Every structure is written in structure tokens, then in C-alpha cells.
Amino acid sequence: MPEGSAESGYRSDSGTLGPLGRTPLKDIPFSVNVTPGELIENSNAHTVGDALKTNPTATLLMSPGGYSSMSRMMVRGFTAADQSEMRDGLVDRSFSFPPVENVERIDVLNGFSGFLYGFSALGGTVNYISKEPTPDPLVSGTAGVYGGGIAFAHADLGGPVPGTGDRLGYRVNAYHEGGSTYIDDSNQERTLLSARFRFKAAENTQLWADIWHQSFDARGLQTYFNLGTGVAIPSASGFDATRQFGQSWTYNRAEKTVIGAGFDTRLDDAVSLRAGYRYGDMWRRYAYVGATLTDAAGTYTTRYTTTPRQNETTNSGYALLDVEGRTWGIGHTVTVGYTGTEYSYDRGNDVSVTLGTSSVGSPVAFANPARPVGGTNTWQSQRQNNLILGDRIALTDSLTALVGITHASLRQTAHGTGVAISTSNYTATANTPSLGLTFRPVPEVALYASYMEGLTGGESTGALTAVNRNQVLAPSVSKQYEVGSKATVGAIDLSAALFRIDKVNSEINPADNVFKQDGREIHQGLEVVATGKLTERLALVGGFTLMDAHIKNALANPAIEGRTPVNVPERQARLYLEYELPAIQNLFATGGVNYYGRRPVNVLNTDYISAATTFDAGLRYAPEVYGHKVTAALNVANLFDRATWAYYRNGDGLLLGQPRVVSLSLKARW
């Protein structure tokens, strides 16, 4: 049965391991979770948060309905964003809505990626794998509604180009949505055009190229709720998530264009060469309203903020040589080469003004102040170069080793008159090693242990309370230790991982309100994931994460010693079930349980977001009509309308979680 299909219980045998390429999951001495495209489609996912909702190791931090239009994910207590977001192994930084309609699957590497990508993402790397041209003609059309009232239409076309002797294949995705969201006086429009091509230039050589463009326009944005002095986090049940607490005239507009090309060639039986490059250009502009709660009764002040247009360009590439061979009876697969990313962005100063006082029970509609904004005054860029040497060693039939080292260099430059420019220039280099051992006592079981170091870029904060807001701190080297197991029991894949991550801690010091590095931040825990079929009719995807995160060796602010870092949950769990009803063929009932553990919202851990559990349900009917598969799907997210809070990072404010939302879709494929 096809890998990642509903028929297989959404099981995947392999995942992408950075520059090492597609690798069997049981041969990878790290934790990798694959969300296949069929599961993304069957769950009516339109955002990254929806697509990864079945992944028990990832947590949605923010909704795309906010002013930033980003769907930030957290893995192992760290934000998987910016350098942590990849497309086909190439860095795909994004401060706009990341599309999933042109994605075949999403591979999440939990933990470090230092040896693989040089510049290390701490908690995890989210790698979007593009839909590839199909060997046979494909015509697929989907239409429906989601998000409260957003109607959409999606066409997915592929196959060989006629007249090319099946040497040139294409995959085209066209998508448009528009309509009201679940928030009063709020609407959203998005258009995506995407194309990917593969050309068989010779028997062992393939060329690829892709391009996509997306426009996004949201009005009536979600409101961020900050806490005034002495105000504790209120219960989310006192807020109606469908109410417009901001203003209907707030907006967020963004556009992004991505173009890339590359090749894969096998020079002989032992040597192959791969290279790829991708360029991205994006911009956004927004005007939003933030709220500050001033008492326990729900009174809040509203503040309008707008910004000049922000622009960003990204260049990402790799050139890798793979050599297979044996020495003294030991097998080697050596990968050597280069990966690198360069990005630059510019922005100007935000313009803010207080609008007045409002209340949760009776929000006030204010007139748009339409304040003029200035021009661009801040230009920043960062360049990352990585020289990679790795060797997958077959010591015996059951024992393999992954040994590698990356010489990573990072250069951050900034100029202009914006905030903290003079302190955002630095250069750093490091040799980051990696060692992993995998033992397979039987083919169905793999036991592994690994150690990795990574050069980690300095963090920054957007909190208004920080006197050095937007300053990028100096990079540092972090370490990760991990042991785990992967096993197949019947028709279920099971994995478990114990991990420990040690990095420099960054926080706003309450004594001087300076965002600085102080002490070490330790994240350690256990992840357990299960995917497959319990019975012939019942499939499951789920698991849990238990985590102990704390600060140690804090000298500048001893009060945080032993405290949990902001927004890191102690535990989280997911369970997705899919049951084929025996009474009606091709009719599936689905259900989901999502548990979000409590997490602190300040460095002293004096206030927490409460733990919450939400439930999902759905039906999917997928018969064949005149030899063509037709799928009708109904999904209900947050079935019991549980009120929850979401939170991105210290100083950004609370966001109300999604209420009960119904989505419908009808798909035909021929």
C-alpha cells in the first residue's frame, strides 16, 4: 500500500534528513515525524497549525489571523521558525502565511539540526516537501468552506508534458479563497499559484525547477491581549472568540514569490551529485490594534499600531557530493559539500497611538486614525555558510553510525537609524560535530543514541518594555543529547525519545529592562509517538510529550534560577482516530483529542496559561463514481467550543484560540 496513505494508517517509512536526503526512519538516530499529504488533505487543513495538529511533538503558538500572518510552531519548547522552516531542504524564511496546498508532506526533525544545516534550529526543523510531477495525468479539484465562512477552490494538475516522451513532467496547483472568518467583521482573501517541473536530461540525471506566488489580505485582525500591572491572566471562558475586540479596519497584507532550480545526477555506481538554489522575495504591511487589560472586570485600553512596508529577500542553496564504498569490509556513504543561506530585510519605525478604553462585554468601535508612516530606516542581513562532511557507516549488518562535522559561519550586519542597530553586528564561526549510533537487533526495532552541537543565532524580542527592542543578540553554541527507539508492532509504528538540550538563556532583565543573555536554558523530556492501524478499520496517529525545562546559572537575574522558560508546557498530547464504518463502505468517522499543558507567561512564573483539552470530530465519504474517486469531508474543530489562550513569546500578548469551527469540502480526482 502507498507510503503515507490512509490505507496504511498514514505510516511513513522514510523522512528527509537535511543534506543527507531521504533516509529510512529506522536508520535515523534522531526523532523525525512525517505528516503525509493524504492526512493533510483528509483533515481539511489550510494552515500549518491545522496540518501538524496530529503531531504530538509540535504546538501551534499563534494564529495566521494576527497582524503577522504567521503560523509559528513550537517543538521541544523552542520556536520552529525562520531558519527552522525549509522547503525541500532549502531555508524558506517566511513572515507571511505559509501555504500547504502545494505540499506533498511535512517532515519535522525534532531537536538540533546543527550538523545537517550548520546554523542550528534549536527545537526542530519544519521541512515542507513539494508536490512532485506525477507519472500519469492527474486532474484534481476541491471546493469547500472553512474558518467560519471562507470559501475556497483548489485545482491540482500533473503528469507528463505531451510530446516530450515522458521526459518532462509538471505539477501545477492553483488555489483561491475568500470570505468571512469566525471573527465578527473580519474577512480573508488568499491566492496561490504554484508550478514544479522535472526533466529527465539523461538516464541518471534529472533537472528540477519550481515557482510559486501567493498574495494574502486579511481584514479585522485578531487582538493581542497584554496584561496591565497587577492583572492576572483571566479565564478565556470570559471572552467570546467570535467577537471583534479590535477594529474592522485593521489589516494585514502580504505577498511572496519563490523561484528555484536544481539537479540530481548519478555519475557512476558509487558517486552522485546534487545541487539546488531557491530565491524568495516577500513583503508585508499591517495596521493592528493591541489591547492591555487594566482590571479583572475586562476593561482594556486599545492601541493602534501601523508600520511601513517591510521587505525581505532570501537566497538558499546547496551543492553536495555523495560517495558510496567499502573499506576493510565496512560500508560508507560519505556526503561532502556546501549549504548556505543569505537573507536581508528592511523596515521602518512603527507608528502607534492610543485609541481609548473598551471592555470585553461591550467593545467600542473607534475611527481609523490613519496615521502616516515614515520610510525605511533599518536594513539588516545575515549570511550563513556551512561546509559539511558526513559519513553513514555500516559497521555490521545491525549496527550503523552517523558521524559528521560542519564548519559553520554566520555573519549578521545591520545599519540605519532604527532601534538597536549598533549592537546587531557580529560574526561567528564554529565546528559543530555530530555522532549517532543505531542498533537494530531485529529488522522491526531500532535503538539509537546521538549527540550534536549547533551554532545558534542570537535571539531578539519585540516586547515594548525592552530598551533594546529588536536587537539581535550574539550567537552561541548549544548541545543536544538524545536516546530513543523505533519499532513496528503489527501495523503500528512506535517511537520514543529522551532528549536534553542545553543553550544560552535570553531574557528581559527586570532590573534594567535590557534583553540579554544570562545563564543556561535546559530542556529535557520524553516524546512518544504512535502511527498506524489498531485494527483493519481503525487508524490512529498520536502520542505525548513530557518536558522539564528550567533555567540555571542565572547571574544577572538570580530570581529566575530554576524557573520554567516562558511559554514552555510541562506536557502535551494528541490523538487522532479514524474508523471505517462497517455499515457503509468508504464512510469514515474521525475524532481528535488535543491536550495543551499549562505554561508560564513571565520569567518568574507568577502567572500561567491554564491547561486545556479540545476535541475534534468529522466524517469523510470517499466512494468511486464512474471509476473516479470523489471525497466529501465534514470536520468540526473544537467540538465543545472550549475557550483557550494561545501565546507566542514574552511581550507579544495573549491570543484567543479558535472556537468551534466547521469545515466542508468536496474533492474529485480523475
Side-chain angles (χ1 to χ4, degrees):
M1 57 190 73
E3 183 178 358
S5 65
E7 184 183 5
S8 73
Y10 303 112
R11 296 167 61 192
S12 296
D13 298 325
S14 59
T16 305
L17 194 61
L20 303 185
R22 192 120 187 218
T23 306
L25 290 174
K26 287 189 176 68
D27 292 343
I28 299 175
F30 310 107
S31 176
V32 177
N33 292 289
V34 179
T35 301
E38 198 162 323
L39 179 55
I40 294 173
E41 287 194 5
N42 288 345
S43 57
N44 270 341
H46 294 269
T47 68
V48 176
D50 290 340
L52 294 180
K53 198 172 186 178
T54 57
N55 184 334
T57 67
T59 301
L60 179 65
L61 291 176
M62 59 195 304
S63 162
Y67 75 89
S68 66
S69 73
M70 298 180 295
S71 297
R72 294 303 201 203
M73 304 300 298
M74 173 185 282
V75 182
R76 292 186 174 175
F78 298 103
T79 303
D82 298 330
Q83 282 73 245
S84 312
E85 288 185 289
M86 321 285 289
R87 288 245 172 194
D88 308 308
L90 291 162
V91 172
D92 184 29
R93 286 174 52 90
S94 178
F95 55 28
S96 65
F97 195 113
V100 297
E101 290 78 20
N102 59 351
V103 170
E104 182 63 37
R105 69 180 197 276
I106 303 176
D107 293 358
V108 178
L109 169 66
N110 292 359
F112 271 21
S113 57
F115 155 59
L116 303 172
Y117 299 110
F119 183 87
S120 181
L122 283 169
T125 301
V126 180
N127 191 9
Y128 306 97
I129 307 301
S130 298
K131 289 181 176 178
E132 291 286 350
T134 53
D136 301 311
L138 165 70
V139 179
S140 174
T142 310
V145 63
Y146 83 101
I150 303 173
F152 71 91
H154 177 204
D156 185 358
L157 312 173
V161 175
T164 64
D166 293 342
R167 296 178 67 187
L168 178 61
Y170 73 95
R171 190 70 175 268
V172 173
N173 281 266
Y175 177 88
H176 180 75
E177 68 179 32
S180 302
T181 75
Y182 61 81
I183 301 174
D184 295 338
D185 299 320
S186 176
N187 58 78
Q188 179 175 305
E189 185 172 349
R190 180 167 65 96
T191 300
L192 171 70
L193 295 173
S194 171
R196 186 171 175 89
F197 304 93
R198 274 199 178 270
F199 178 67
K200 187 176 181 180
E203 182 62 30
N204 295 314
T205 301
Q206 287 199 357
L207 311 178
W208 63 265
D210 59 14
I211 183 171
W212 57 271
H213 174 82
Q214 179 177 258
S215 62
F216 178 78
D217 190 345
R219 305 293 179 100
L221 306 180
Q222 271 191 299
T223 300
Y224 288 78
F225 286 94
N226 291 282
L227 304 176
T229 303
V231 178
I233 295 177
S235 171
S237 61
F239 295 71
D240 181 355
T242 67
R243 177 167 282 183
Q244 179 58 264
F245 294 110
Q247 304 296 320
S248 61
W249 41 260
T250 56
Y251 68 87
N252 176 31
R253 303 188 192 102
E255 289 195 15
K256 181 175 182 179
T257 301
V258 174
I259 184 169
F263 68 87
D264 302 88
T265 183
R266 194 162 188 89
L267 303 178
D268 57 33
D269 291 340
V271 181
S272 59
L273 180 64
R274 297 171 284 144
Y277 166 78
R278 191 172 278 135
Y279 169 80
D281 181 86
M282 49 193 164
W283 65 264
R284 70 175 177 183
R285 186 172 178 185
Y286 53 76
Y288 71 97
V289 169
T292 300
L293 294 165
T294 56
D295 59 36
T299 305
Y300 62 91
T301 58
T302 56
R303 188 170 181 82
Y304 160 89
T305 300
T306 187
T307 184
R309 173 168 148 163
Q310 302 172 8
N311 304 282
E312 177 165 321
T313 60
T314 305
N315 294 275
S316 184
Y318 63 83
L320 300 163
L321 182 70
D322 304 305
V323 181
E324 300 176 14
R326 300 185 68 84
T327 57
W328 299 293
I330 297 176
H332 297 268
T333 302
V334 177
T335 297
V336 61
Y338 166 84
T339 67
T341 301
E342 180 181 39
Y343 70 88
S344 60
Y345 67 91
D346 59 72
R347 63 176 300 164
N349 289 338
D350 290 347
V351 174
S352 298
V353 61
T354 299
L355 298 178
T357 301
S358 191
S359 69
V360 171
S362 182
V364 176
F366 294 98
N368 185 351
R371 291 297 179 93
V373 296
T376 300
N377 64 2
T378 302
W379 294 265
Q380 296 201 37
S381 65
Q382 190 175 101
R383 184 176 182 87
Q384 308 151 22
N385 293 303
N386 312 301
L387 299 177
I388 295 172
L389 175 61
D391 190 1
R392 285 167 284 182
I393 307 170
L395 299 169
T396 68
D397 291 341
S398 58
L399 181 63
T400 60
L402 173 61
V403 180
I405 189 168
T406 296
H407 178 73
S409 63
L410 185 152
R411 182 179 181 183
Q412 161 85 20
T413 60
H415 65 279
T417 58
V419 176
I421 288 300
S422 62
T423 52
S424 292
N425 293 282
Y426 56 73
T427 299
T429 60
N431 293 314
T432 56
S434 176
L435 173 63
L437 292 172
T438 302
F439 176 60
R440 301 185 66 167
V442 294
E444 296 80 12
V445 177
L447 308 175
Y448 71 88
S450 60
Y451 170 78
M452 187 183 290
E453 294 181 4
L455 179 62
T456 305
E459 297 170 278
S460 65
T461 180
L464 296 174
T465 56
V467 297
N468 58 338
R469 180 187 179 199
N470 296 328
Q471 175 189 344
V472 181
L473 302 183
S476 60
V477 173
S478 304
K479 301 178 180 181
Q480 174 182 276
Y481 308 83
E482 183 174 329
V483 295
S485 63
K486 302 173 186 180
T488 298
V489 180
I492 296 180
D493 292 332
L494 299 170
S495 66
L498 284 166
F499 62 88
R500 177 183 171 90
I501 296 174
D502 184 336
K503 69 170 285 285
V504 69
N505 175 55
S506 302
E507 46 123 31
I508 300 175
N509 191 310
D512 53 15
N513 287 327
V514 174
F515 185 66
K516 65 178 63 173
Q517 295 172 340
D518 178 30
R520 306 295 297 180
E521 184 174 338
I522 309 297
H523 291 214
Q524 53 194 15
L526 168 67
E527 299 165 342
V528 176
V529 180
T531 305
K533 285 202 165 184
L534 281 173
T535 69
E536 185 178 346
R537 293 184 177 273
L538 180 61
L540 70 85
V541 180
F544 61 86
T545 300
L546 306 177
M547 189 153 48
D548 168 32
H550 59 274
I551 306 299
K552 71 174 187 178
N553 301 331
L555 301 178
N557 186 13
I560 66 172
E561 185 77 19
R563 306 291 186 181
T564 301
V566 171
N567 206 32
V568 177
E570 297 174 344
R571 56 185 67 90
Q572 61 190 42
R574 309 277 191 280
L575 178 62
Y576 172 83
L577 297 171
E578 185 172 290
Y579 180 66
E580 184 177 8
L581 299 173
I584 303 176
Q585 189 178 8
N586 299 314
L587 179 62
F588 299 83
T590 64
V593 183
N594 315 284
Y595 174 77
Y596 308 88
R598 73 165 194 161
R599 52 204 190 278
V601 297
N602 55 40
V603 295
L604 296 179
N605 298 176
T606 57
D607 208 358
Y608 284 79
I609 295 175
S610 300
T613 304
T614 63
F615 297 85
D616 307 323
L619 287 172
R620 186 177 78 256
Y621 185 47
E624 282 198 1
V625 179
Y626 297 108
H628 303 290
K629 186 175 181 180
V630 176
T631 304
L634 165 69
N635 295 87
V636 183
N638 196 359
L639 180 64
F640 301 111
D641 203 20
R642 174 70 186 270
T644 61
W645 287 117
Y647 194 61
Y648 175 30
R649 61 184 179 184
N650 191 14
D652 273 13
L654 299 161
L655 279 173
L656 284 166
Q658 180 178 267
R660 179 171 53 239
V661 173
V662 177
S663 62
L664 293 163
S665 68
L666 180 64
K667 177 182 178 181
R669 177 171 179 162
W670 59 94

